[in-house]
Amino acid sequence: MSAHRGQWSSKLGFIFAAAGSAIGLGNIWRFPYIAGENGGAAFVFTYLICVIAIGLPVMLAELALGRATQRNPVGAIETVHPGSLWKAVGILGVLTGVAILSYYAVIAGWTVGYMISSAIGRPLDFGSFVADPMAMIFYQALFMIITIVVVSGGVEGGIERWAKILMPMLLVLLLILIIRSLTLDGAFKGLEFYLKPDFSKINYNVIIAALGQAFFSLSLGMGTMMTYGSYLKKDDNAVASGFQVALFDTMIAFMAGLLIFPALFAMGKDPAAGPGLVFQVLPEIFKAMPLGNLFGALFFLLLAVAALTSTISLLEVPVAYFVDEKRWTRKKAVWTVGTATFLVGIPSALSLGANRFFSSIQFPLIHKTGFLDIMDFIWGNFSLALGALLLSIFVGWVWGADRALAELRQGAVDFSWQGEGWKYLIKIICPVVIFVILLNLFI
Ligand code: PHE
């Protein structure tokens, strides 16, 4: 390994960074609203299957390739299979990072706006907040700048230490809020919607939404976990770490649902309200509890931090590419990519009412309305799934599942028969299932 590349200071360093990337708005903002739009419990059931059968094997594939090559996604593929078209998979990951970050920063900006409004005790009306162009662009820019400053200053010291304290706090706060939500009048109906599956509701839309959400939430399909895996030491147990990250991530998403749906039904709101869902429901929960403003401000602060550890990882992939492959300085890469990402994100920022064109634009194939929703489907869902498909073929067949397994077994000697099962999943099940699901999109 070259000297300028860092390594995680400890095994926990990796787990916190990778869990920090995975846990974010995907769990608390995206998971509940996508579940709400896709029938609740039937979606949750499908989601869990996608995480276990598809997400986890792809996670291990990314970690193996990253650790074996110690490179960014483009460089990693180039190392294993020089001069081939497979490099394009890495490039797709770099582009996807920019595209997801462009609208992710918009939503992350909302959490900052809500944090301030709770702190000063002036509740925001969601509809008018997101229709205010100045506020939208201000908060989006603010969040991008924070991300840029952290990524250019080096991730290890500050953010690692912060995340170690704040992530557990988020967990505790979630527990407290869940209790409040579950004890609201009429909460039970929400619990039923969330946990009692009506299997007849599982259709193609539910399946593709669940698969996309699994990749989004676990930060898979664009090389994030490959990049983070590249900082692992050879004697680290990548398998156990991958499992732990997936488990934490799924637990937090599950808890977010337990928080949102009981309250939502107690208030008689529509579960299919879309991207604004949690921002409309959460303030009502805070209103219904003592010290609500304080809890609200604290919750949105922790959510903003969770989002920050994810935006950092989104920016890190394109930055690592420009630093490693194009020999840019880190500072130049961070500011150039960050500024471009901000500009790409402006239409998303204006697409919830601030600008008529971006708010009403439609995308034929997928029945999505509004620029942000369309971006989220194309990049946050389709492109990650496509990336995961290509990566599983690359690792399973081009690099070779045996070589990948040998890499994983370094530091994980007990990955014996499970490892054989993993080979089968990554070579056959993952590619076939993802391919069939994506194919259906076009017919
Ligand atoms: N997993 C992050 C979340 O749930 C989002 C993300 C996706 C981060 C892809 C990196 C790569 O919020």
Side-chain angles (χ1 to χ4, degrees), residues 101-253:
L101 180 56
S102 78
Y103 66 84
Y104 198 97
V106 173
I107 316 289
W110 297 356
T111 65
V112 178
Y114 269 79
M115 176 184 86
I116 295 172
S117 96
S118 305
I120 61 176
R122 272 215 238 123
L124 283 174
D125 170 54
F126 179 76
S128 20
F129 177 57
V130 295
D132 175 357
M134 294 303 280
M136 287 299 98
I137 292 184
F138 171 77
Y139 285 117
Q140 177 211 1
L142 181 69
F143 212 91
M144 277 310 302
I145 290 172
I146 299 174
T147 306
I148 287 171
V149 168
V150 173
V151 174
S152 67
V155 175
E156 303 92 26
I159 208 69
E160 235 188 83
R161 212 170 315 141
W162 269 46
K164 279 183 199 170
I165 308 167
L166 293 173
M167 288 292 139
M169 265 175 81
L170 178 66
L171 197 85
V172 173
L173 194 59
L174 270 174
L175 278 173
I176 298 175
L177 296 177
I178 287 171
I179 295 172
R180 171 68 277 208
S181 174
L182 283 173
T183 48
L184 289 169
D185 258 354
F188 188 72
K189 276 208 301 279
L191 217 48
E192 232 174 11
F193 174 82
Y194 183 50
L195 295 179
K196 198 170 152 218
D198 169 0
F199 292 106
S200 69
K201 279 196 191 150
I202 300 180
N203 57 27
Y204 173 67
N205 290 330
V206 172
I207 295 173
I208 186 156
L211 185 73
Q213 175 62 20
F215 293 134
F216 188 93
S217 192
L218 296 170
S219 304
L220 296 175
M222 54 163 274
T224 313
M225 287 302 163
M226 214 190 291
T227 308
Y228 277 21
S230 74
Y231 305 116
L232 275 170
K233 295 194 201 75
K234 289 290 180 192
D235 56 356
D236 284 337
N237 188 333
V239 178
S241 305
F243 265 83
Q244 279 162 17
V245 169
L247 189 70
F248 281 152
D249 185 69
T250 306
M251 203 172 76
I252 299 276

Side-chain angles (χ1 to χ4, degrees), residues 18-30 96-97 100 103-104 213-225 249 306-307 309-315 317 380 384:
S21 166
I23 297 169
L25 297 172
N27 309 61
I28 289 165
W29 158 71
R30 202 177 189 270
T96 306
I100 293 181
Y103 66 84
Y104 198 97
Q213 175 62 20
F215 293 134
F216 188 93
S217 192
L218 296 170
S219 304
L220 296 175
M222 54 163 274
T224 313
M225 287 302 163
D249 185 69
T309 53
S310 300
T311 54
I312 289 168
S313 72
L314 284 162
L315 187 55
V317 172
L384 291 182

